[in-house]
Amino acid sequence: MDTSTLIGLVSIGVIILFLIGVPIFLVIGFWVVGASLVIDFTLANIGVTLFEGLNFFGLLSLPLFILTGDLIAAAGIARRLADFAHACLCWMRGGLGLATIGSCGLFAAISGSNSATTATIGGIMHPLLKEDGYDSRFAAATAAAGGTVGIIIPPSIIFIVYGFLMNLSISDLFVAGILPGFLMVIAMQGVCWYMCRKHNWGTVTPLVMSRVFKTARLAYLGFFAIFIVIFGIYSGIFSPTEAAAITVGFCLLAGLLLTREIKWKALPDILLRSGQLTGMLAPMIAISIVMQQVFGLLGAGEAVAAFVEWFGSGDTVTLLVCMGIVMAAGTILESLPVTVIFAPILAPIAVATGVDPVHFSVIFLVGAAIGFITPPFGLNLFVASGVTGIPYSKLVKFALMYMIGLVIAWMIIAFIPWLSLGLIPSSAV
Amino acid sequence: MSILMAPLRWLDDHAERTIILIAYSSMALIIVYAVIQRYIFNSQIAWSSTIPIYLFLWVTWIGCAYNVKQRTHLVFNDIRLRMPYGMQFAMMWLDAILWVSFGTMVAYFTIEQTQIAYDNFAIVGGTNDVMQWWFYLATPVGWFLLMFRALQNLWSDIGRYLRREPFLVDIQSIGGD
């Protein structure tokens, strides 16, 4: 049998492993082993890369931003941000729903995780939304949808992974995510406002400026953390790792000394939870580096490029096909495997047609983020279901409404590069 | 006998937790201190950019073993959830076999790398006497622990099967929440 047939058989084998529920790390690992044996590539490379692949200082921002997410939730900073968002938006129909999405955006500007955003904001806002007369399924779907900006608004754990894998500046990626993340928030708030108006959900209360100022004063710790991350990285004062370190230190001190909601006794559990997530993400990064090497040896990029060209030539068709592949993958995979498997294949194809690599990273990851609320595997829907107790299947209908808004935002982001590149100081659009 | 068992039981419950706590907090503290030192005191410890990377290796691979213990690695489990009971039991065997076979290979090659660092007296950059192999050990140790946890899970699954109890196939990995 020739090499391509054998690689095809290996791929079918691991797809079966994936479908029967074998951990995705092993699925990728065994594909790498099988493909390496087929092309006679030494298996020692796997050992060496799992060893050396993570040896990069910039990657340390990953565990630090994971820890930041856990610390701001434990320190009560997230709740204060949510109070502020509600005080600002209570005068609109569906104000509490809009505030839920706005809070997700604020939380995402300190934390880098979609699931942490959904779980934290969903846990705080869902009981309030129910109390205010919202359909509890819609309320849970709102938290799930809002969480999608967790990986787009900087800092973002997945942007770190993407930048590391594709050799792009993590600072540039973070800055590139600011406006698209903001646009996603606006799009979801538009859907929320429409739904609340249609169903007459929620109460409308007058805007009280004293309440806005009071909640803003209480939320100052959150604003300061956002300032450290966004301004520190944007201005070039801090690298992402340094910004992450400063934010960790700040959130820890704030939780211990100012809000006093973090107890010394709770610290080991917070660290263990962050360590557990690091132990899930970092091994996937390491094994995907080996997979990239094997892809390179196999010429996988050329094969996928030929597949994309089969749909037609032209920049727009190529970009739309790439987006379609990301969307399809996102319906059954979490953003990390989507990124580690498809980014090394699709990014060179899109870049070859003239798309800026940083712009494509945003297009790619917004698509992966939409996957968080698309069935059958919508991770944020699982998280929202777990936090609110609403069955997964009942969230799907409402989540699809948000998906429409997000897909419109995605198209705008894809076809207006300025949104991603306009704020990057070194970029000329 | 119980005197012997008590420390073993403690290790079984706390091994990953203890290592993750030490490595994670040391890593975070060194980086935070180094950033403060650089911006406020205009100086830097030479090893502040090398040791944290190695501590990250310990967090990564021990965390990986901890996820096997907790069964929280990312999976697509829609089909497995719908499988008949006997089939699910077969899947538990498959998971354990795959973890152990992949782990054996990784452990073999990473021991080789650790041995090379040991034989060459390789020293961590920015230090005079901190040996690289102390940190390189993270990968083989993590994978041995991981294989042990996979077998432990299989053992408890066999117990569940004999008692006809449901298997733990519906744990969702929700990113540390």
Side-chain angles (χ1 to χ4, degrees), chain B residues 28-160:
Chain B
L29 281 174
I30 293 170
I31 302 171
V32 173
Y33 180 71
V35 173
I36 293 170
Q37 204 190 22
R38 188 154 59 249
Y39 283 98
I40 296 178
F41 304 108
N42 230 358
S43 65
Q44 191 177 3
I45 317 166
W47 44 264
S48 65
S49 59
T50 51
I51 298 243
I53 299 173
Y54 291 121
L55 289 168
F56 174 54
L57 277 184
W58 276 100
V59 176
T60 297
W61 296 116
I62 301 298
C64 189
Y66 187 66
N67 279 305
V68 169
K69 182 186 178 190
Q70 301 288 324
R71 302 177 199 245
T72 45
H73 271 286
L74 284 174
V75 293
F76 173 77
N77 61 3
D78 270 27
I79 294 174
R80 191 178 283 198
L81 282 168
R82 291 176 175 82
M83 283 180 182
Y85 189 71
M87 198 70 160
Q88 284 187 348
F89 184 49
M91 292 298 111
M92 298 302 159
W93 274 92
L94 179 68
D95 280 358
I97 291 167
L98 292 178
W99 277 122
V100 171
S101 45
F102 193 78
T104 306
M105 185 199 64
V106 175
Y108 173 79
F109 288 116
T110 52
I111 286 173
E112 210 173 62
Q113 293 295 315
T114 312
Q115 184 71 45
I116 292 169
Y118 177 83
D119 291 342
N120 291 336
F121 300 102
I123 287 169
V124 173
T127 68
N128 293 323
D129 50 8
V130 179
M131 307 306 289
Q132 262 185 9
W133 69 267
W134 298 348
F135 298 100
Y136 277 23
L137 263 183
T139 322
V141 167
W143 277 91
F144 275 117
L145 192 56
L146 183 153
M147 289 189 275
F148 176 69
R149 294 306 185 192
L151 292 172
Q152 239 180 354
N153 284 351
L154 180 64
W155 181 251
S156 61
D157 288 332
I158 292 170
R160 282 193 189 93

Side-chain angles (χ1 to χ4, degrees), chain A residues 218-357:
Chain A
L218 290 171
Y220 78 97
L221 293 170
F223 297 136
F224 192 68
I226 293 171
F227 177 79
I228 295 172
V229 176
I230 308 268
F231 181 74
I233 295 172
Y234 181 74
S235 63
I237 295 173
F238 299 130
S239 70
T241 306
E242 289 171 340
I246 294 288
T247 319
V248 163
F250 172 74
C251 291
L252 181 62
L253 288 177
L256 286 170
L257 305 174
L258 299 174
T259 69
R260 296 186 181 183
E261 291 191 31
I262 296 181
K263 305 290 173 214
W264 283 104
K265 269 195 306 194
L267 271 181
D269 284 333
I270 294 172
L271 278 167
L272 185 67
R273 203 162 51 231
S274 301
Q276 192 179 354
L277 184 55
T278 305
M280 189 196 298
L281 296 173
M284 291 278 285
I285 298 171
I287 194 71
S288 68
I289 297 169
V290 196
M291 189 176 65
Q292 254 182 293
Q293 294 163 348
V294 178
F295 274 157
L297 291 170
L298 285 170
E302 290 83 0
V304 178
F307 170 75
V308 173
E309 274 172 22
W310 181 76
F311 287 90
S313 55
D315 306 355
T316 310
V317 175
T318 304
L319 193 57
L320 286 173
V321 174
C322 289
M323 289 167 76
I325 293 172
V326 174
M327 182 93 182
T331 61
I332 52 167
L333 287 171
E334 207 264 338
S335 64
L336 181 68
V338 170
T339 305
V340 299
I341 296 169
F342 291 99
I345 298 174
L346 297 180
I349 296 168
V351 170
T353 64
V355 180
D356 184 276

Side-chain angles (χ1 to χ4, degrees), chain A residues 75-347:
Chain A
I77 294 173
R79 199 188 59 248
R80 288 155 201 245
L81 288 171
D83 288 343
F84 168 71
H86 185 214
C88 292
L89 295 166
C90 62
W91 56 276
M92 291 174 78
R93 171 62 62 194
L96 198 56
L98 301 180
T100 302
I101 296 164
S103 310
C104 286
L106 290 170
F107 186 88
I110 315 172
S111 152
S113 151
N114 62 293
S115 49
T117 307
T118 302
T120 308
I121 301 299
I124 295 167
M125 301 301 272
H126 188 259
L128 302 175
L129 287 161
K130 256 173 67 177
E131 211 174 280
D132 201 32
Y134 289 76
D135 184 307
S136 63
R137 297 165 301 171
F138 175 75
T142 302
T148 56
V149 294
I151 65 159
I152 304 300
I153 293 178
S156 158
I157 291 166
I158 299 295
F159 266 135
I160 297 169
V161 175
Y162 192 103
F164 177 68
L165 289 177
M166 304 309 299
N167 203 17
L168 294 170
S169 154
I170 292 167
S171 296
D172 282 355
L173 295 184
F174 277 3
V175 174
I178 296 174
L179 292 180
F182 188 66
L183 182 67
M184 287 168 73
V185 169
I186 300 286
M188 287 186 286
Q189 286 184 324
V191 172
C192 180
W193 176 80
Y194 170 77
M195 292 290 286
C196 293
R197 211 172 147 216
K198 188 176 164 193
H199 297 284
N200 210 23
W201 285 328
T203 50
V204 177
T205 51
L207 179 70
V208 181
M209 287 316 286
S210 61
R211 189 177 159 221
V212 173
F213 289 127
K214 189 181 167 195
T215 52
R217 192 163 46 81
L218 290 171
Y220 78 97
L221 293 170
F223 297 136
F224 192 68
I226 293 171
F227 177 79
I228 295 172
V229 176
I230 308 268
F231 181 74
I233 295 172
Y234 181 74
S235 63
I237 295 173
F238 299 130
S239 70
T241 306
E242 289 171 340
I246 294 288
T247 319
V248 163
F250 172 74
C251 291
L252 181 62
L253 288 177
L256 286 170
L257 305 174
L258 299 174
T259 69
R260 296 186 181 183
E261 291 191 31
I262 296 181
K263 305 290 173 214
W264 283 104
K265 269 195 306 194
L267 271 181
D269 284 333
I270 294 172
L271 278 167
L272 185 67
R273 203 162 51 231
S274 301
Q276 192 179 354
L277 184 55
T278 305
M280 189 196 298
L281 296 173
M284 291 278 285
I285 298 171
I287 194 71
S288 68
I289 297 169
V290 196
M291 189 176 65
Q292 254 182 293
Q293 294 163 348
V294 178
F295 274 157
L297 291 170
L298 285 170
E302 290 83 0
V304 178
F307 170 75
V308 173
E309 274 172 22
W310 181 76
F311 287 90
S313 55
D315 306 355
T316 310
V317 175
T318 304
L319 193 57
L320 286 173
V321 174
C322 289
M323 289 167 76
I325 293 172
V326 174
M327 182 93 182
T331 61
I332 52 167
L333 287 171
E334 207 264 338
S335 64
L336 181 68
V338 170
T339 305
V340 299
I341 296 169
F342 291 99
I345 298 174
L346 297 180

